[in-house]
């Protein structure tokens, strides 16, 4: 072909198109083009004058169309990096967010390196929280629960792929499959978006089940505050992710079910995002 497309020109055109829908149009273009020609991203910089064949151009166009229609990069590539772990994701799971790393970080501060504690992740999705904690605390015994068999299958594949063996996976509705057990630390990134929230438009590709939680967005958090009381070990700690405007309501809810020493941590954008609370059984007669 006389008007051969080079890597340089295709990247420039693709980045300009993606800039309309993405905050990282150039990076997205690089990732999609590298996949279309089945080469690492570094190849693009080393060979900007290489030409792209028709089949690669077609493969690229298919994924660019998906991206332009609002599909998150993680669903197109099937992977997302979280806590230095490369996780498989699918439309059955939320795309793990940097905010959730704040939850992992604060939970790890609570768990000594040599602790062999029982840890629970409720609504594990891709397994992000459970796998991050399990990989940093190999002596701990982590249980991950999700109601979605499709999400759980992804989480289990991630554990296998990453050869993390100290996590067990259970299907069920919140605490139901672990109701007779006790955990020193319970974590959850539950759904916390309210029905009708305008932020939902930007989250259209992600599972409603993992996002929406009633009119206030607080239904799942209320349920967890209530039910985790019966499965938390004495002096155990609960870590909950929540919306940027929910800090005070979450603290009120936790207090009303007897949780104490309630503390909130900000995410990277400075929004209050993760609340932790303790529970002491010995205070009840
Ligand atoms: N963090 C997601 C958001 O961007 C929501 C995730 C959730 O509901 N747990 O709104």
């Amino acid at each position: 072909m006389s008007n051969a497309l080079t890597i340089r020109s295709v990247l420039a055109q693709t980045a300009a198109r993606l800039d309309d829908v993405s905050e990282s149009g150039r990076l997205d273009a690089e990732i999609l083009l590298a996949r279309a020609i089945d080469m690492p991203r570094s190849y693009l910089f080393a060979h900007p004058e290489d030409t792209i064949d028709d089949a690669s151009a077609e493969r690229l166009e298919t994924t660019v169309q998906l991206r332009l229609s609002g599909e998150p990069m993680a669903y197109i590539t099937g992977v997302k990096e979280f806590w230095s772990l490369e996780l498989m994701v699918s439309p059955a799971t939320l795309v793990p967010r940097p905010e959730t790393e704040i939850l992992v970080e604060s939970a790890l501060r609570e768990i000594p390196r040599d602790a062999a504690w029982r840890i629970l992740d409720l609504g594990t999705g891709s397994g992000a929280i459970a796998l991050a904690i399990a990989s940093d605390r190999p002596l701990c015994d982590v249980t991950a629960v999700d109601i979605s068999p499709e999400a759980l299958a992804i989480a289990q594949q991630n554990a296998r792929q990453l050869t993390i063996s100290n996590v067990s996976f259970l299907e069920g509705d919140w605490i139901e499959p672990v109701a007779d057990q006790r955990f020193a630390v319970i974590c959850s990134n539950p759904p916390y978006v309210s029905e009708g929230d305008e932020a939902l438009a930007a989250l259209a590709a992600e599972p409603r089940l993992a996002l929406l939680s009633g009119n206030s967005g607080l239904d799942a958090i209320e349920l967890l505050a209530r039910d985790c009381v019966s499965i938390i070990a004495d002096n155990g700690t609960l870590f909950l992710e929540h919306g940027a405007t929910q800090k005070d309501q979450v603290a009120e809810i936790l207090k009303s079910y007897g949780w104490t020493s309630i503390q909130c941590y900000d995410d990277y954008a400075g929004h209050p995002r993760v609340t932790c609370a303790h529970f002491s059984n010995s205070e009840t007669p």
Side-chain angles (χ1 to χ4, degrees), residues 72-284:
M73 280 299 287
Y75 290 159
I76 299 174
T77 62
V79 289
K80 177 76 185 179
E81 177 144 332
F82 179 83
W83 199 259
S84 83
L85 306 173
E86 184 164 283
L87 296 178
M88 265 181 288
V89 295
S90 86
T93 70
L94 271 190
V95 177
R97 308 271 202 288
E99 295 92 282
T100 306
E101 293 181 343
I102 302 284
L103 190 157
V104 170
E105 207 180 302
S106 34
L108 287 174
R109 271 200 303 271
E110 191 77 14
I111 311 170
R113 289 216 157 265
D114 58 354
W117 291 359
R118 307 197 66 236
I119 316 283
L120 177 65
D121 175 20
L122 289 172
T124 196
S126 62
I129 294 172
L131 293 166
I133 292 179
S135 70
D136 269 39
R137 292 293 181 272
L139 301 179
C140 285
D141 177 5
V142 181
T143 302
V145 173
D146 206 286
I147 197 170
S148 155
E150 293 83 12
L152 219 49
I154 297 278
Q156 276 170 305
Q157 273 187 64
N158 278 324
R160 268 198 300 276
Q161 193 84 30
L162 296 162
T163 61
I164 296 173
S165 52
N166 54 327
V167 185
S168 21
F169 296 91
L170 295 173
E171 187 182 323
D173 192 6
W174 298 119
I175 75 155
E176 173 252 322
V178 290
D180 56 349
Q181 303 182 32
R182 285 283 181 284
F183 300 90
V185 169
I186 303 176
C187 302
S188 184
N189 173 16
Y192 55 71
V193 179
S194 56
E195 328 252 358
D197 188 322
E198 54 194 33
L200 277 173
L203 305 170
E206 294 184 83
R208 287 292 177 260
L209 185 64
L211 290 168
L212 286 178
S213 199
N215 284 330
S216 62
L218 289 161
D219 289 6
I221 286 173
E222 170 115 30
L223 180 148
L224 290 170
R226 184 192 71 200
D227 290 357
C228 287
V229 165
S230 64
I231 56 164
I232 192 84
D234 195 20
N235 293 316
T237 316
L238 173 66
F239 293 86
L240 293 176
E241 181 175 322
H242 50 76
T245 60
Q246 294 172 334
K247 173 185 166 183
D248 294 342
Q249 290 151 296
V250 170
E252 277 311 308
I253 291 170
L254 286 165
K255 234 182 274 170
S256 74
Y257 289 102
W259 297 88
T260 57
S261 315
I262 296 164
Q263 214 182 332
C264 185
Y265 301 102
D266 288 353
D267 63 19
Y268 300 112
H271 300 126
R273 180 67 65 182
V274 172
T275 291
C276 92
H278 297 265
F279 202 88
S280 167
N281 293 307
S282 47
E283 276 168 24
T284 36

